[in-house]
Amino acid sequence: MENSIYQQISDDEHEEDEIVELEDEDPIIGSHVENGVLQGETHLSTKPTVLYLLFFFLINSLAFGIIAVPRMNLVVSLVCRHALENNGTPDSPPVIIGGFNPQCQSDEISSRTALIAARGNIIVGVLAAAISTSMGRLSDRVGRVKVIAFNTLGLIFTEGTLLTIATFPNSLDYRWLYAAYAIDGASGSYALTMAMASAYVSDSCAPSIRSIQIGRLHGAMFIGIAVGPLLSTLISKIGGSKLPLLVFYVSLSMRFFSILYLQFVPESRLTKTSQLIAEAKPRYLLRLTARSCKPRLSFSKLDPRAWIAHLIPSSVPSSAYLRRNLILLMLIDLLIYAGVMGTMEILILYPQVVFAWGATANNLFMSLVNLCRAAVSTLGLPLLVFLFRRSSFSSSSTSKRSSLSTTSTTIPATLAAVEETHHTQSGADPLDKSLILTSLLIDLLGYLGFALAPSGPLFTLCGALAAFAATGLASTEAALTKHVDGERTGELMGGLGFLQGCVRVVAPSAVNVVYSATVRRGVPGAAFVGIAGVLGVGVGLMGWVRTR
């Protein structure tokens, strides 16, 4: 029998298949092919685990947290400087670019800043949505870590652009901020990194522990975002008025470190097709990459029903039930994501206007809220899993363990290990539904509290309640991966990234516009009430989710 491997590649059922033949005599890959089996996979020698990504998320989110408030203050100061110059107010003190400026704390400046943030989010969302699907499909072939590295490189250029604008404010006015937004969106924004991280977990972990592992990633991210503002306050005090941009330099250096660290992160367990392409000749890789990333201009390929049917073919048992659950869980995930994304800017602007908070109070608030998110993701989620399993699912868990114990006696240990990480389309279970519903209800109460809180401490307490959005996102993403085959996980996460990009266009823009209109009328909390209503829709949709 001829020693060759034939690989069939098809983007969808409507396209002609392309056959790529890889001979074992090939000088590049021949040593890796023997009787149709790939040999000598160096990137599989180190077992991929979530621990590798935890450190990356910690460093990357720490860099984000360091400039979260200074970045918004940069936008405020640029807008304020432009407004003061146009209004002709020579008696006003000079605006410190990137620093805290009391003269800029007005309803007019806050409203203008919200509108600029809304336009920027539209730019980021449109570009991120356009690239996420292609990058998700590509990750199924070249790996998740490479796509994460691409996104991190985009963040480096984004922050480099912001630093350039802040360094030369006389030559570059606030309109150059849109260039930074464009670079951020063209690299997929951080939604692409989160999607690829979820796919990495799905590749490396058994379905029963995916929600906990994704929660740990979210926890590492929120720990970094929580500690970042505290470090930002310390760095700002060290830099003072002479070095107001020191925080941006520190954040940029941490981004460089994180992308270097990714070079040592082992790739997740890719399928045989993905491994073969990764080791193939450059001409094959370029051909397949071009096919993955070519624009989809046909309206039939934008049909969401066709995409769902491709993710879950009709030949799969209970395909109708899986498709229905997949759609509902995606909608719920997007509603939770809309709440998180829609309020990112106004959680900084709102207390500045209502409670007269400064940069230090803003940093402390963001740190406390994100510490709560980290605690909920790393400690609260496993605790909820333990409580729900013990109270409501103990009998079913016992029967499953007894069934598995009898089966394991007839299955070799190596085969059992393979089965543990095999991607089965089992669908959501009652535990997933309970976790998502609990997080939705607590998150809803948090946003209602934001609108009604009469003081800063109560506002911060409501932020602790809204932190349960982290468990909702982790639980929905883990549940989604249980509905598709392992080879389509990257495509699923890429599609989810596309939808989240669309949400990033709509949600922050809508919330910022509502805030901009209502803050001048004395009801700035109306935007929080709207987000609570959106989460209420998610609670209603959970009633339609079926469990196995």
Side-chain angles (χ1 to χ4, degrees):
M1 183 173 130
E2 184 179 356
N3 293 334
S4 61
I5 294 178
Y6 291 89
Q7 180 179 342
Q8 182 173 322
I9 298 150
S10 176
D11 287 328
D12 54 55
E13 59 186 1
H14 303 293
E15 293 187 356
E16 295 182 358
D17 295 336
E18 178 182 357
I19 304 297
V20 178
E21 180 178 355
L22 302 178
E23 300 289 347
D24 59 345
E25 289 85 1
D26 191 290
I28 296 181
I29 65 169
S31 59
H32 301 290
V33 180
E34 182 179 345
N35 296 327
V37 179
L38 222 63
Q39 305 292 331
E41 289 296 328
T42 57
H43 64 281
L44 294 180
S45 58
T46 303
K47 182 179 179 181
T49 65
V50 181
L51 294 177
Y52 290 104
L53 283 185
L54 284 178
F55 184 73
F56 166 79
F57 267 82
L58 184 63
I59 297 299
N60 214 33
S61 60
L62 190 62
F64 176 83
I66 284 177
I67 64 165
V69 174
R71 180 173 178 170
M72 181 56 65
N73 286 338
L74 171 63
V75 179
V76 171
S77 59
L78 290 172
V79 173
C80 180
R81 184 174 185 267
H82 179 77
L84 293 178
E85 289 177 352
N86 290 344
N87 294 337
T89 54
D91 296 335
S92 177
V95 176
I96 302 175
I97 301 299
F100 175 65
N101 300 279
Q103 69 273 27
C104 298
Q105 285 187 312
S106 65
D107 293 345
E108 180 185 359
I109 300 299
S110 183
S111 177
R112 289 189 181 186
T113 303
L115 287 177
I116 291 174
R119 296 176 191 139
N121 281 309
I122 291 176
I123 295 173
V124 174
V126 169
L127 294 176
I131 198 173
S132 292
T133 305
S134 297
M135 297 305 294
R137 282 198 305 269
L138 184 62
S139 75
D140 283 332
R141 296 170 176 174
V142 303
R144 323 297 185 193
V145 177
K146 294 181 179 65
V147 176
I148 294 176
F150 165 77
N151 176 254
T152 306
L153 186 63
L155 292 176
I156 290 175
F157 282 107
T158 299
E159 294 185 7
T161 303
L162 291 174
L163 185 58
T164 303
I165 297 171
T167 305
F168 305 102
N170 295 325
S171 303
L172 305 173
D173 67 4
Y174 74 94
R175 296 178 184 87
W176 282 94
L177 292 169
Y178 297 126
Y181 285 123
I183 297 173
D184 187 14
S187 63
S189 194
Y190 57 83
L192 179 61
T193 293
M194 293 305 302
M196 291 301 99
S198 297
Y200 189 96
V201 172
S202 180
D203 296 338
S204 309
C205 302
S208 59
I209 61 172
R210 283 179 196 166
S211 60
I212 295 178
Q213 298 294 352
I214 294 177
R216 287 176 178 173
L217 286 179
H218 286 217
M221 178 182 67
F222 290 128
I223 287 174
I225 298 176
V227 177
L230 297 178
L231 289 179
S232 177
T233 301
L234 179 62
I235 295 171
S236 297
K237 289 183 178 180
I238 294 175
S241 58
K242 296 182 178 179
L243 296 173
L245 302 179
L246 181 60
V247 289
F248 289 92
Y249 286 101
V250 174
S251 174
L252 193 60
S253 64
M254 296 181 72
R255 297 288 191 192
F256 276 109
F257 178 79
S258 66
I259 199 171
L260 291 176
Y261 170 76
L262 282 177
Q263 308 304 313
F264 303 95
V265 176
E267 189 54 79
S268 59
R269 288 188 178 88
L270 301 176
T271 62
K272 180 66 68 178
T273 299
S274 305
Q275 297 173 21
L276 193 57
I277 293 176
E279 295 292 329
K281 279 185 175 181
R283 64 174 180 271
Y284 295 128
L285 181 59
L286 291 175
R287 184 188 309 169
L288 299 179
T289 303
R291 288 175 61 86
S292 297
C293 299
K294 69 180 181 181
R296 302 293 201 236
L297 299 179
S298 174
F299 288 103
S300 62
K301 295 177 182 178
L302 298 177
D303 185 1
R305 294 174 299 178
W307 180 57
I308 296 295
H310 179 65
L311 289 175
I312 306 176
S314 301
S315 58
V316 175
S318 304
S319 60
Y321 144 72
L322 292 173
R323 290 176 184 176
R324 179 183 177 184
N325 266 16
L326 190 73
I327 295 172
L328 290 172
L329 288 172
M330 277 191 175
L331 289 175
I332 293 167
D333 182 89
L334 294 176
L335 293 177
I336 300 173
Y337 188 75
V340 175
M341 291 301 305
T343 55
M344 285 189 67
E345 284 88 7
I346 65 172
L347 280 177
I348 297 176
L349 297 174
Y350 179 89
Q352 288 181 355
V353 173
V354 177
F355 307 123
W357 282 3
T360 302
N362 265 134
N363 281 328
L364 182 60
F365 168 74
M366 295 300 296
S367 295
L368 292 175
V369 169
N370 286 293
L371 278 175
C372 291
R373 288 175 175 172
V376 166
S377 298
T378 56
L379 302 177
L381 184 57
L383 180 61
L384 288 175
V385 170
F386 172 77
L387 293 176
F388 282 132
R389 279 179 176 170
R390 185 173 183 178
S391 61
S392 303
F393 310 107
S394 57
S395 58
S396 60
S397 299
T398 303
S399 61
K400 288 180 181 179
R401 284 195 297 268
S402 61
S403 175
L404 287 175
S405 62
T406 56
T407 306
S408 62
T409 58
T410 60
I411 299 178
T414 55
L415 183 57
V418 172
E419 287 295 325
E420 184 181 8
T421 57
H422 181 65
H423 295 266
T424 58
Q425 295 170 265
S426 56
D429 54 35
L431 177 61
D432 295 322
K433 187 172 182 178
S434 298
L435 289 173
I436 297 171
L437 185 59
T438 301
S439 65
L440 278 169
L441 291 173
I442 300 178
D443 198 18
L444 188 153
L445 292 176
Y447 281 103
L448 286 177
F450 280 145
L452 302 175
S455 62
L458 288 177
F459 187 82
T460 304
L461 180 62
C462 294
L465 294 177
F468 273 82
T471 64
L473 290 173
S475 300
T476 51
E477 290 174 8
L480 282 170
T481 61
K482 300 178 183 179
H483 291 74
V484 299
D485 184 77
E487 294 185 355
R488 293 185 173 94
T489 301
E491 183 178 351
L492 169 66
M493 290 295 110
L496 182 63
F498 166 79
L499 295 175
Q500 289 179 343
C502 295
V503 169
R504 184 165 183 177
V505 173
V506 177
S509 303
V511 172
N512 285 328
V513 168
V514 170
Y515 174 77
S516 176
T518 56
V519 69
R520 297 181 179 182
R521 293 172 172 81
V523 284
F528 293 121
V529 177
I531 293 295
V534 168
L535 294 175
V537 174
V539 173
L541 291 177
M542 281 303 302
W544 296 88
V545 175
R546 291 177 54 191
T547 58
R548 64 176 185 266

